[in-house]
Amino acid sequence: MSDASQFISKRAQSRKSSHFANVPSDKPPAGFKPHPKPLLLSYGTPNDGFFPIDSIEVNLVEFPFEHQSKQSHLNGHSKEANGQAKEANGQAKEANGQVKEEKSNSFRISRHSDTPELLDLSRGLQYGPVSGLDPLLQFTKEFISKTHKPAYDEWNSIVTTGASDGLNKACDAILDQGDVVLVEEFTFTPFLRFVNNAGGIPVPLKIDLSQDSNGLDYNYLENLLTNWSKEKPNLPKPKALYTISTGQNPTGFTQTLEFRRKVYKLAEEHNFVIIEDDPYGYLTLPKYDSSRFSSNDQVDPADLKNDITIEDYLTNHLTPSYLEIDTTGRVIRVETFSKLFAPGLRLGFVIAHAKIIDAIRNYSEVVNRGASGLSQTVVNNVIRDKLGGLDGWLNWILKMRATYSHRKDLLLHSIYKSEAFKKGLVDVIDPKAGMFATFKVKFLDPAEGNVSSDEVVAVGKQLLWKIISHGVLVVPGYNMSVDPDFSLERSNFFRLCYAPLNNDEDIIESGKRLTDAVLEFYNNGNKF
Amino acid sequence: MSDASQFISKRAQSRKSSHFANVPSDKPPAGFKPHPKPLLLSYGTPNDGFFPIDSIEVNLVEFPFEHQSKQSHLNGHSKEANGQAKEANGQAKEANGQVKEEKSNSFRISRHSDTPELLDLSRGLQYGPVSGLDPLLQFTKEFISKTHKPAYDEWNSIVTTGASDGLNKACDAILDQGDVVLVEEFTFTPFLRFVNNAGGIPVPLKIDLSQDSNGLDYNYLENLLTNWSKEKPNLPKPKALYTISTGQNPTGFTQTLEFRRKVYKLAEEHNFVIIEDDPYGYLTLPKYDSSRFSSNDQVDPADLKNDITIEDYLTNHLTPSYLEIDTTGRVIRVETFSKLFAPGLRLGFVIAHAKIIDAIRNYSEVVNRGASGLSQTVVNNVIRDKLGGLDGWLNWILKMRATYSHRKDLLLHSIYKSEAFKKGLVDVIDPKAGMFATFKVKFLDPAEGNVSSDEVVAVGKQLLWKIISHGVLVVPGYNMSVDPDFSLERSNFFRLCYAPLNNDEDIIESGKRLTDAVLEFYNNGNKF
């Protein structure tokens, strides 16, 4: 394969790793024998006897929202469905939905433990390797081997403090001053900070906002690359493409495997790196199906349980990563535990060629010396000690997926029922994964002639105030554009996120408020 | 006062803070009324009902090493002393030293709680402000107000992922390409990475390695600054001084308040910033006193309890920070919870002028989006819920201090008793704070004529192998020099850290092995 070190920035290449307290690496003198039991007066590490915490007990739930709801619906899992899913998981329990007695689902993290794949506090609260504590680092590799195995061997992993950290480190690893990064025109805009920090220059790529699109506009991309010197005479050819390829933020689109193969082929032809950001792609979502809703808009509980197996999920639901078609070590995949476990852990990981991971490790010694050992310990032991390892973690993801699927469908159902939708004023794109849906305001589409492209943002801002006054907060697409002027004609949408709301009622109500606001705005002649 | 924004780097000044999902900041249209109960489809924050952890129970010890030791000594607290200290703390418990029954010292962190100064999991595991979760951020301010209150009002605090993170952010905030930072010639060398990352240039300052020195050589510093254009014709005048002013790493020296006033005066005259790194300065250490040791080298348990009050500690033991004499907002103080709580938390904070803290916050949005919320929650609630707040935290520090003091004295006692010491071959500097002691090999001092300055490092490396072969690991001073050539004549020492070893026996044994090795090396004609 090609040498992945060609992708590494000069800045990153210049860094070296060393520690002043390490034993000398040069050759010992003749007659030197290592001592069998050396005593350490070297490293500035406090003995774990100084740690005030002696042990930690962690109490888990078995399903999302298990203890929260006082209603018959547990936001995605009715009590019956909950019971059924337990049976499906091979646990013959009563299907009465009773909350289990407290502590049946808890485990302890002691100061010292003898099980090497579990972390105890003497390791978790101590200084650790910047690459991550070994059991968790190993887990990330096992997980990727099962879900998105790279098509070459010399890949590696590194634990980060979340997706943002991973993205910043990816930028540092490959971008030198003046290097160009291709970016989806609507994107997770904090990424632009990371590009800027490395001295890079973002260039937006068109997104195709039609139903069933792959997000990224392939023809635009291919044409731009082929005619680069004509289209961008003052810029070097791109060093990288940044893409949120599954459940894109903010649009929700997912690239098919076939589409990815075509983009990867361009990456090889034009020799650029692909930074694949995938914070919520594991939350695969079935297509909205109106038959799941009864005439009074309730969902049949039987439809809400997690009814697919891990095998089915991995084979037929999860979209393959760019890693899986990468034969030349040019894909950097950025993951996070924020959406599947919890954001406050500040924990994620990056998978890439071993040489790129080395560069990221050396930068980690500059910018944060690794993730919280406490976060790493809790996540590692929840997964390995309590959930039962890899399959247990995938089972948890399937439960998350079922709940997100329910939430997405509730929101879409609420919009589809609205007068605004029935009148053809709005449309919503049913996402195949993730936590975002594109809500299009069709009468603000310049292509339909109602509003000129110059007016889209100005009118959109008035509409946003109307939406806010109706009591729902959404993100306008133009807030997430790389270059507002470039994207004017496609800025007539809002990002809807069905992750934060508390329960079914609020989700349904949010769709109602949103569509009511749009209708009122339209009826008022596109004025507040 | 002078404008602290003059100290901020151009890079840092160019950064702005914003979030694409925030409500618009421009003026709402006429007739706009905010909704009383808005629903959020905006932020990509998972509802806390998705978090698999329902609650966490934290079990604490009352003293360092409380549960660890199976011996009568608990590394610094004999069981009797332990009991006495409890009485001293106003808790009328039996002085029998029995380990309390499990769980008497535990508390729970629930998913939801109504006590605003405590953090629950719905906040601790959620995305949080990059500056830190409010209760902990407030605590850092209360703590500094009590221990090291700045001499001006417009100061602020920011939570970091530890001292390294704080130092890197301090460098980013003030250093532009080519800016000079003055650095103690022997120092925490990872700091040089942070200087390099910001494009700065480190210039070493001499350290005075004699007993009772302040560390930093004031005369050298003053002369260098006064004659800068002659001494360093190719470099701009310094932008900053980096100093570990209490329990210096690696030498252990502590600057007196009077000394700090003189240095601060130079900072005003020559207009540079002082980056004060203080990871272990709270561990103040009484002078070694041989009368505390009995003839068989045991320590009287009564001497080991923490026998000073908080008031006494703050007034007579704790060395004032540069913050306390700072009237112009030019001091950046970097703290960490690594040494007083646990390193694996990756948690610390920085105190500086509010404008510098703003710059650090904007950089935090690039490099890590803040510390682990789980770490912040645990530390905040341990301190506020269990230890009893500010005074409780200071009481814990006093217990740490008593144990470190005991460890330091044991190590020094072991060295003082050695033949090598009695023969005048070695010396050790009794530190006033922290976890490091300078162990000088006098026959390798070029000033004493035995070894030329060219040979110090080469012979020192041979001695290090001898020390390692005797079964003790130490850090040679030359490993921590900024410029090895500059420091040749002062490179005849090793840094001893009494923090990591397990117990009294090992500490005594380590001193014995070390001095035996030096004696053997000397007797063998400075050869392995």
Side-chain angles (χ1 to χ4, degrees), chain A residues 220-295:
Chain A
Y220 181 86
L221 171 63
E222 190 192 22
N223 180 63
L224 179 64
L225 289 168
T226 309
N227 302 297
W228 186 266
S229 55
K230 207 172 67 192
E231 300 280 344
K232 305 282 177 187
N234 300 316
L235 293 177
K237 285 200 80 180
K239 186 79 189 283
L241 161 67
Y242 168 64
T243 178
I244 310 165
S245 50
T246 307
Q248 204 263 347
N249 186 4
T251 62
F253 290 113
T254 295
Q255 299 167 10
T256 63
L257 176 57
E258 191 190 2
F259 184 87
R260 289 172 205 238
R261 285 195 205 281
K262 283 164 61 187
V263 172
Y264 186 81
K265 199 155 169 283
L266 290 178
E268 290 210 304
E269 278 170 29
H270 299 276
N271 202 30
F272 58 82
V273 169
I274 297 174
I275 303 175
E276 178 183 61
D277 182 10
D278 191 4
Y280 21 63
Y282 293 100
L283 302 170
T284 64
L285 305 171
K287 211 170 159 60
Y288 168 84
D289 177 0
S290 63
S291 71
R292 294 176 64 238
F293 290 84
S294 66
S295 57

Side-chain angles (χ1 to χ4, degrees), chain A residues 71-76 78 288-304 406 409-410 413-414 417 504-505 508:
Chain A
Q71 308 144 212
S72 64
H73 270 74
L74 298 172
N75 200 300
S78 80
Y288 168 84
D289 177 0
S290 63
S291 71
R292 294 176 64 238
F293 290 84
S294 66
S295 57
N296 64 345
D297 301 319
Q298 296 295 304
V299 182
D300 178 355
D303 268 354
L304 295 178
H406 173 66
D409 283 355
L410 274 183
H413 189 71
S414 176
K417 273 176 45 193
D504 292 8
E505 289 68 23
I508 294 165

Side-chain angles (χ1 to χ4, degrees), chain B residues 405-424:
Chain B
S405 166
H406 172 66
R407 288 179 158 240
K408 184 265 287 178
D409 284 354
L410 274 183
L411 180 60
L412 264 58
H413 189 71
S414 176
I415 292 167
Y416 291 150
K417 274 176 46 195
S418 71
E419 202 181 328
F421 180 80
K422 288 174 184 162
K423 282 195 165 173

Side-chain angles (χ1 to χ4, degrees), chain A residues 15 18 20-21 24 26-33 35 37-61 64-65 67-68 102-103 108 111-112 124-127 161 164-165 168 188-190 193-194 197 338-339 341-346 365-375 378 396 400 403-404 407 462 464-465 468-473 475 479-480 495-497 499-502 506 509-510 513 528, chain B residues 15 18 20-21 24 26-33 35 37-61 64-65 67-68 102-103 108 111-112 124-127 161 164-165 168 188-190 193-194 197 338-339 341-346 365-375 378 396 400 403-404 407 462 464-465 468-473 475 479-480 495-497 499-502 506 509-510 513 528:
Chain A
R15 293 197 189 100
S18 69
F20 56 78
D26 48 346
K27 200 167 160 275
F32 173 83
K33 275 186 217 160
H35 193 277
K37 281 191 157 183
L39 296 171
L40 264 67
L41 291 173
S42 48
Y43 295 94
T45 51
N47 189 288
D48 63 74
F50 285 109
F51 303 162
I53 299 178
D54 199 52
S55 66
I56 288 176
E57 228 162 294
V58 180
N59 306 307
L60 299 176
V61 290
F65 295 90
H67 291 321
Q68 252 111 319
E102 214 180 359
K103 291 264 187 155
R108 173 176 289 224
R111 197 183 286 258
H112 296 113
L125 290 181
Q126 191 52 275
Y127 288 107
T161 70
S164 286
D165 184 44
N168 182 52
F188 177 64
T189 49
R193 288 189 200 127
F194 314 143
N197 192 53
S338 290
K339 311 297 186 182
F341 203 116
L345 299 164
R346 300 285 77 219
E365 290 191 345
V366 176
V367 294
N368 48 30
R369 312 274 305 265
S372 160
L374 182 59
S375 292
V378 166
W396 174 257
M400 296 280 282
T403 308
Y404 271 102
R407 288 178 158 240
Q462 293 300 301
L464 181 60
W465 283 116
I468 293 172
S469 76
H470 272 251
V472 59
L473 303 184
V475 180
N479 264 19
M480 300 185 71
R495 183 188 84 170
L496 310 184
C497 179
L501 286 176
N502 280 328
D506 283 358
E509 173 68 14
S510 70
R513 290 183 184 180
F528 179 82
Chain B
R15 294 197 189 100
S18 69
F20 55 78
D26 48 346
K27 201 168 160 274
F32 173 83
K33 275 187 217 159
H35 193 277
K37 280 192 158 183
L39 296 171
L40 263 66
L41 291 174
S42 49
Y43 294 95
T45 51
N47 189 287
D48 63 74
F50 284 109
F51 304 162
I53 299 177
D54 199 52
S55 66
I56 288 175
E57 229 161 293
V58 181
N59 305 307
L60 299 176
V61 290
F65 296 90
H67 292 321
Q68 252 111 320
E102 213 179 1
K103 292 263 186 160
R108 172 177 289 224
R111 197 185 286 259
H112 297 113
L125 290 180
Q126 191 53 275
Y127 288 107
T161 71
S164 285
D165 183 45
N168 181 52
F188 177 64
T189 48
R193 287 189 200 127
F194 313 143
N197 191 53
S338 289
K339 312 296 187 182
F341 203 117
L345 299 163
R346 302 284 76 221
E365 290 191 345
V366 177
V367 294
N368 50 28
R369 312 274 305 266
S372 160
L374 182 59
S375 292
V378 166
W396 174 257
M400 296 280 282
T403 307
Y404 271 102
R407 288 179 158 240
Q462 294 299 303
L464 182 60
W465 283 115
I468 294 172
S469 76
H470 273 252
V472 59
L473 303 184
V475 179
N479 265 18
M480 300 185 71
R495 184 190 83 169
L496 311 184
C497 179
L501 286 175
N502 281 329
D506 283 357
E509 173 68 15
S510 70
R513 289 181 184 181
F528 179 82

Side-chain angles (χ1 to χ4, degrees), chain A residues 61-114:
Chain A
V61 290
E62 200 163 321
F63 281 85
F65 295 90
E66 181 176 308
H67 291 321
Q68 252 111 319
S69 179
K70 289 180 179 66
Q71 308 144 212
S72 64
H73 270 74
L74 298 172
N75 200 300
H77 298 283
S78 80
K79 290 185 177 179
E80 291 99 286
N82 197 337
Q84 286 171 25
K86 280 182 197 169
E87 287 183 315
N89 284 342
Q91 295 169 27
K93 287 188 183 166
E94 290 173 275
N96 62 3
Q98 273 194 337
V99 172
K100 295 169 310 335
E101 57 176 335
E102 214 180 359
K103 291 264 187 155
S104 67
N105 205 6
S106 69
F107 69 97
R108 173 176 289 224
I109 304 167
S110 302
R111 197 183 286 258
H112 296 113
S113 131
D114 293 330

Side-chain angles (χ1 to χ4, degrees), chain B residues 326-343:
Chain B
D326 185 18
T327 50
T328 50
R330 65 177 68 245
V331 174
I332 305 177
R333 178 173 167 88
V334 176
E335 290 219 19
T336 175
F337 285 100
S338 289
K339 312 296 187 182
L340 301 178
F341 203 117

Side-chain angles (χ1 to χ4, degrees), chain B residues 262-306:
Chain B
K262 284 163 61 185
V263 172
Y264 186 81
K265 199 153 169 282
L266 290 178
E268 291 210 303
E269 279 171 30
H270 299 276
N271 202 30
F272 58 83
V273 169
I274 297 174
I275 303 175
E276 178 184 61
D277 183 12
D278 191 4
Y280 20 64
Y282 292 100
L283 303 170
T284 64
L285 305 170
K287 211 170 159 59
Y288 168 84
D289 176 359
S290 63
S291 70
R292 295 176 64 237
F293 290 83
S294 65
S295 56
N296 64 346
D297 301 319
Q298 297 295 303
V299 182
D300 179 355
D303 268 354
L304 295 178
K305 66 177 168 56
N306 165 39

